[in-house]
Amino acid sequence: MKAHLTDRLILFAATGFGLGKAPVAPGTFGTLAGIPLIWLMAVIPCIWSGFVLMGMMLVSIFLADRAEALLGVKDPGAIVIDEMAGYCVTMSLVPLGWASLGAGFVLFRCFDIFKPWPVIYFEKHFTGGAGIVLDDLMAGMMAGSCLKLLNWAGLI
C-alpha cells in the first residue's frame, strides 16, 4: 500500500529529514538537523525566536505522535524531531557561536543519552508524542542551564 504524501512528509520531518535513519547513533545525527533552526532563531528578533521555539516544541509532539503511529513502533529510534527540539531548547539562552554550538551539542547529547532525573521521569511517565519529546525538552533545559553557566563564567 502506498503511503499518502502527508504521511511521507510527517515521516520526513519526524526523522530529521532522513538523518534519523542513520544505521548508528540516529539521535546524534538527528540532533544535527536542529542546527538550521538554531541559526534561524539566532538571526530573528528575540520575540519571534520564542514563538519559533514554542512552535517547534508543539509541532514536534504532534509529528512524533503521528510518526510513531505510522511506524507502528513505540518510540522508534528513527524519530529524531525530539532531539532537534531539545537541542533548540539547549541553545535558546546563549549567544550563538561555534564554541557554544559544540558545547551545547555535547551537553545535550549527554543529558539525552544518560537520562538523569528528571529526564528519565518524563520518558517513563508519558506516552505517544509527549513521551517521545518531553524527556528531550527536559534534557535540553538541563543542558541549556549548564551552557548558560559556562557562558556566564566566560568559558564559552
Side-chain angles (χ1 to χ4, degrees), residues 16-85:
F17 317 110
L19 289 174
K21 295 180 180 180
V24 294
T28 299
F29 282 102
T31 302
L32 295 172
I35 293 174
L37 289 168
I38 292 166
W39 283 109
L40 172 68
M41 290 188 328
V43 299
I44 62 177
C46 188
I47 185 73
W48 292 112
S49 67
F51 283 118
V52 169
L53 184 60
M54 288 301 297
M56 176 66 183
M57 289 188 274
L58 294 172
V59 167
S60 66
I61 292 171
F62 170 78
L63 291 175
D65 188 67
R66 189 72 191 107
E68 182 181 55
L70 288 169
L71 295 172
V73 178
K74 184 180 179 342
D75 197 0
I79 295 176
V80 294
I81 196 162
D82 52 329
E83 276 85 5
M84 294 167 59

Side-chain angles (χ1 to χ4, degrees), residues 3-153:
H4 291 100
L5 177 60
T6 303
D7 293 344
R8 289 195 309 248
L9 290 173
I10 287 169
L11 290 172
F12 184 67
T15 61
F17 317 110
L19 289 174
K21 295 180 180 180
V24 294
T28 299
F29 282 102
T31 302
L32 295 172
I35 293 174
L37 289 168
I38 292 166
W39 283 109
L40 172 68
M41 290 188 328
V43 299
I44 62 177
C46 188
I47 185 73
W48 292 112
S49 67
F51 283 118
V52 169
L53 184 60
M54 288 301 297
M56 176 66 183
M57 289 188 274
L58 294 172
V59 167
S60 66
I61 292 171
F62 170 78
L63 291 175
D65 188 67
R66 189 72 191 107
E68 182 181 55
L70 288 169
L71 295 172
V73 178
K74 184 180 179 342
D75 197 0
I79 295 176
V80 294
I81 196 162
D82 52 329
E83 276 85 5
M84 294 167 59
Y87 189 31
C88 287
V89 169
T90 298
M91 300 304 300
S92 65
L93 294 177
V94 295
L96 186 58
W98 292 111
S100 63
L101 200 62
F105 184 87
V106 170
L107 285 166
F108 172 71
R109 290 306 299 145
C110 286
F111 281 106
D112 187 33
I113 291 167
F114 295 113
K115 299 196 185 304
W117 190 91
V119 176
I120 192 73
Y121 175 86
F122 288 92
E123 183 177 76
K124 299 276 186 206
H125 290 87
F126 292 88
T127 60
I132 294 170
V133 176
L134 291 177
D135 66 310
D136 292 87
L137 297 180
M138 180 54 70
M141 286 188 258
M142 294 177 75
S145 297
C146 292
L147 194 60
K148 186 71 174 169
L149 285 172
L150 290 172
N151 180 257
W152 177 78

